[in-house]
Amino acid sequence: MATAAIANLEDEFTPTDKPAGPCVMVVFGAAGDLTKRKLIPALYNLAKDHLLPDNFAVVGVSFDDLSPDAFREEVTRFLDKEDHASEAWRWFHERLYYERGDFASDDTYLCLAKQLCEIDAHCGTQGNYLFYLATAPKFFADIVQQLGRHNLAQEENGSWRRVIIEKPFGHDLESAKTLNAQIQSVLAEKQIYRIDHYLGKETVQNLLVFRFSNSIFEPLWNDRYIDHVQITNAETVGVERRGGYFDNVGTMRDMVPNHIMQLISLTAMEPPASFKPEAVRDEQAKVLHAMKAFHPDEVLHNAVRGQYGAGRIEETTVPAYRSEPGVSPESRTETFVAMKLAIDNWRWAGIPFYVRTGKRLAERHTEITIQFKKTPLQIFQDTAGHKLRTNQLVIQIQPEEGMMLTFGAKIPGSTVRVGSVNMSCEYAKYFKTEPKTGYEVLLYDCMIGDPTLFQRADMVEAGWSVVDPVLDVWRAVSPRKFPNYPAGSWGPKESDDLLERDGRKWRTIA
Ligand code: BG6
């Protein structure tokens, strides 16, 4: 916010991280989109930043019949052209291996174990393995069982073994509990890294620093000064090539128990006693446990669902959800969710958290808005501009990363006129950084054994406890009118009504 102060801190921006220790990262689902679009680019960014150890290798495992060279070629295509000839890519490229195999077959794990032994001998990776499950969720439990059966999950002779599990983690509370039990029968909780890529976003992590390293905001961060909180997560994309998957899942399961709950917990948590992983995660978990699950009678009043029809996004006509490939023409799957949530604890009693998330909305934009209360006495109500907005703090998460504080100021002139002014800090300007994939920090943290930014079993289950009652009612009561919002809008009218009923409005995103 204050340019001068930030400039003085320049020395502190110099990265001080050291490379992770020797290890092999094994990616199950190596031929999939996640590996090519996110994981390999993230690893490459880590290589560029010298955060990968020299004793490092990646083994891709997938059912696709690829030679190691064909695999290397495949992943290279997903990198910017100018990076193909870089020194960092050459370094990375020669550390890439491939293993073809069926995730259910013993042979795959026998071959993998043999290949890992050879890599340890050749690359000095010391038996430290990070297994990344970038597969369809139906394989998660089986892969972990197989790792256990083939002695790949046991930490022996000072080596470590860790498993990163992608979302969705379960389909509802019961299946999440079952999955937790299945993987915990093989792995200790400290070996399990349940990933949520929102926790890899700079501004999401900054929520902790912002709240707990500044003394001026925390005293205001409660029901006394805050009127309500809004979280908007808007995407312009539709379901792209994931129609078949998405139609069985819907926006509620896809976004809410994970990404949205992370944003809420970091916004609402109490100050942790330290920045140690368990201290932070304990406080996050407490918030999630304090979130009020709806009684069935409350669901339709507090939760809105939507599905997009045809419309226009950035001058392009786009089809309705029901016409997307892989989606049933009668689909009742929601592509939009808005909810009014409550946190039943001392700090947040009576303060609504309004959240909305959806596909094919007007803009790609994710933000958290803290809406402060009005001043106790409105002494400027007879002056021009008295309809002044109350103070707002907007934490912008993407695509731009930054923060903005809105406050009232006198407009220069001989009469008293009050206007709203913004004080803002854009990450790209101050820190001169390019937004990354978000996976860099998470992969690095897993390699160094820091689980702070990963979800614990209890956190995942608490997220589902909030979502389950809504899904139950939605399953029982069909949506009245789908599609109910055109692509390129801000969602169904009921989403606006949800706030207007309380005399509030969604912040206008320009
Ligand atoms: C994923 C969801 O977890 O997050 C996708 O499965 C969604 O449906 C994506 O598009 C959004 O991520 P981001 O980082 O683009 O906001």
Side-chain angles (χ1 to χ4, degrees), residues 189-232:
E189 182 63 27
K190 73 173 177 59
Q191 295 177 278
I192 307 169
Y193 287 68
R194 298 172 193 80
I195 198 165
D196 183 316
H197 78 278
Y198 267 56
L199 287 175
K201 294 182 193 280
E202 279 293 348
T203 24
V204 174
Q205 290 164 47
N206 187 42
L207 264 168
L208 283 174
V209 179
F210 179 79
R211 287 192 55 202
F212 304 127
S213 74
N214 293 300
S215 58
I216 59 172
F217 298 108
E218 204 45 30
L220 311 178
W221 215 261
N222 53 49
D223 65 329
R224 187 148 174 225
Y225 297 101
I226 292 178
D227 179 76
H228 71 276
V229 175
Q230 297 185 7
I231 297 181
T232 292

Side-chain angles (χ1 to χ4, degrees), residues 167 197-198 201 235 242 254-255 259 359 364 398:
K167 61 168 275 278
H197 78 278
Y198 267 56
K201 294 182 193 280
E235 297 186 87
R242 301 159 71 221
D254 191 40
M255 299 297 291
H259 307 327
K359 296 202 178 285
R364 175 167 186 251
Q398 62 190 19

Side-chain angles (χ1 to χ4, degrees), residues 412-430:
S414 50
T415 55
V416 176
R417 289 189 304 139
V418 184
S420 268
V421 295
N422 296 333
M423 202 158 67
S424 62
C425 156
E426 287 168 45
Y427 257 52
K429 275 197 194 149
Y430 283 113

Side-chain angles (χ1 to χ4, degrees), residues 6 37 58 121 125 198 210 213 216 239 244 250 318 358 368 440 453:
I6 294 275
R37 288 179 196 278
V58 175
T125 38
Y198 267 56
F210 179 79
S213 74
I216 59 172
V239 284
V318 297
I368 301 169
E440 290 83 357
L453 297 176

